[in-house]
Amino acid sequence: MKGARGSEKRRHTLRWAATGAAAAVAAALSALVLAEVPPFGADDPGPRVRSPHTPAAPLSPADALQPPIVTRKEWGADPRLLDQKPRYADAVHAVVIHHTGDSHDYDCSDSPHLVREMYATHAVGNDWGDLGYNFLVDRCGTIFEGRLGGVERPVVGAHALGLNRGTTGIAAIGAYPEGVPVPKPLRKSLEMLIAWKLGLTGVAPGARAQLVSTSSLGRFPEDSTVNVPTVLGHIDAYETTCPGESLLRLLPALRKEAARLQSKAKVLVKGDSGRPGGREAQDRGPVGADPEAPRTGR
């Protein structure tokens, strides 16, 4: 939530030139190409055709789950604001759900601007050096890359004080208190993102995780071992109202649907492995995506 304390104070100020950004952008763009989704602001080039003589790489359940993600370059992250070198945990063990606290009735064409504003607030205003969240999702379901470091990697964010290490922070753009419904496209993208990000390390959305608190300023004493759901709200880690009552009530359904998507991906990949080419599951797009839904925000 905007203005909430989500980051441990950095011991050193690092003015870091984004020399690794090109690699991160290239990796994310490759993912968009594999999912046959054009980059933000680009025309759809049509279906890609693989040569029958080119052997397909093995498809994993995580490959089948990965949703299209708008990269930092595509939404216009200003590298001059970056003052934080990426840090990494051993793995992602849990996902923390947030809302940004902005108005929920924005036009989705303004989403990149809202992400840039959040970036400036976190990086400069809060002195966190970068976006605190690892991902942001707008009400039309468009997913934006947040903190620099690689969307597939266990990047340590600045979103849940004490429980940043080993978690991924996903923020719904907008405010979702009591009485504000969560739009279906937003909910579906949250489900896919949770299923994919936890699936990268084989974590079940309905399970529990053991985390070690790194700060006593959150809900848990520093160095204490904490048992939390693998999908939790910011309020479970810090004294706050984030992610809002409407999103908080949705967490059980998000866990259930993300688990179903993981199971479906495993079945698709298992059934696809014996077919010539072995990439049919990926050609269908990410598991859980609505084939009739418009590609908003791109």
Side-chain angles (χ1 to χ4, degrees):
M1 183 170 63
K2 183 162 56 179
R5 298 179 65 182
S7 171
E8 290 86 352
K9 185 174 178 63
R10 299 194 306 279
R11 293 189 177 91
H12 303 284
T13 300
L14 299 174
R15 177 59 59 182
W16 181 70
T19 54
V25 168
L29 284 173
S30 298
L32 288 170
V33 171
L34 288 173
E36 297 182 359
V37 176
F40 185 83
D43 295 329
D44 190 339
R48 297 175 62 83
V49 179
R50 185 180 66 248
S51 166
H53 304 292
T54 304
L59 181 67
S60 72
D63 291 330
L65 285 165
Q66 183 171 2
I69 299 170
V70 177
T71 68
R72 290 171 63 95
K73 181 177 181 180
E74 290 164 345
W75 59 253
D78 186 347
R80 294 172 298 180
L81 303 183
L82 190 66
D83 191 18
Q84 174 69 51
K85 186 175 180 179
R87 295 181 297 130
Y88 299 95
D90 63 324
V92 170
H93 303 285
V95 165
V96 182
I97 303 298
H98 302 259
H99 69 178
T100 62
D102 300 284
S103 171
H104 64 276
D105 59 354
Y106 54 89
D107 190 308
C108 289
S109 64
D110 292 330
S111 295
H113 173 69
L114 295 175
V115 174
R116 289 193 295 270
E117 280 193 338
M118 186 67 59
Y119 173 43
T121 298
H122 285 193
V124 180
N126 294 354
D127 194 31
W128 295 347
D130 196 356
L131 265 166
Y133 308 122
N134 299 96
F135 300 93
L136 301 95
V137 187
D138 74 8
R139 67 185 186 87
C140 292
T142 303
I143 302 171
F144 296 86
E145 178 186 10
R147 201 169 186 85
L148 184 69
V151 294
E152 295 185 354
R153 301 188 67 185
V155 180
V156 177
H159 59 91
L161 187 60
L163 298 185
N164 285 316
R165 182 168 290 276
T167 65
T168 280
I170 302 175
I173 300 176
Y176 294 95
E178 181 76 37
V180 177
V182 179
K184 182 178 178 180
L186 168 58
R187 188 177 77 246
K188 291 297 183 183
S189 288
L190 288 174
E191 292 164 356
M192 288 193 294
L193 189 53
I194 291 167
W196 168 67
K197 193 61 182 178
L198 292 180
L200 288 170
T201 45
V203 175
R208 298 187 71 86
Q210 301 286 331
L211 303 174
V212 177
S213 173
T214 58
S215 174
S216 296
L217 297 177
R219 288 196 179 274
F220 310 103
E222 186 174 356
D223 295 327
S224 62
T225 299
V226 181
N227 184 280
V228 297
T230 54
V231 180
L232 64 152
H234 188 194
I235 193 172
D236 298 312
Y238 187 78
E239 192 67 37
T240 177
T241 60
C242 180
E245 190 62 31
S246 292
L247 267 173
L248 197 61
R249 289 180 178 175
L250 194 61
L251 291 186
L254 293 178
R255 295 182 188 110
K256 182 177 180 180
E257 182 59 19
R260 188 189 71 81
L261 292 176
Q262 285 188 350
S263 297
K264 184 178 179 181
K266 291 175 184 177
V267 171
L268 284 175
V269 171
K270 182 177 180 181
D272 193 46
S273 60
R275 297 190 181 97
R279 303 292 286 190
E280 184 177 329
Q282 182 164 288
D283 292 340
R284 283 192 289 264
V287 174
D290 183 353
E292 303 300 324
R295 290 170 178 172
T296 57
R298 294 180 181 81

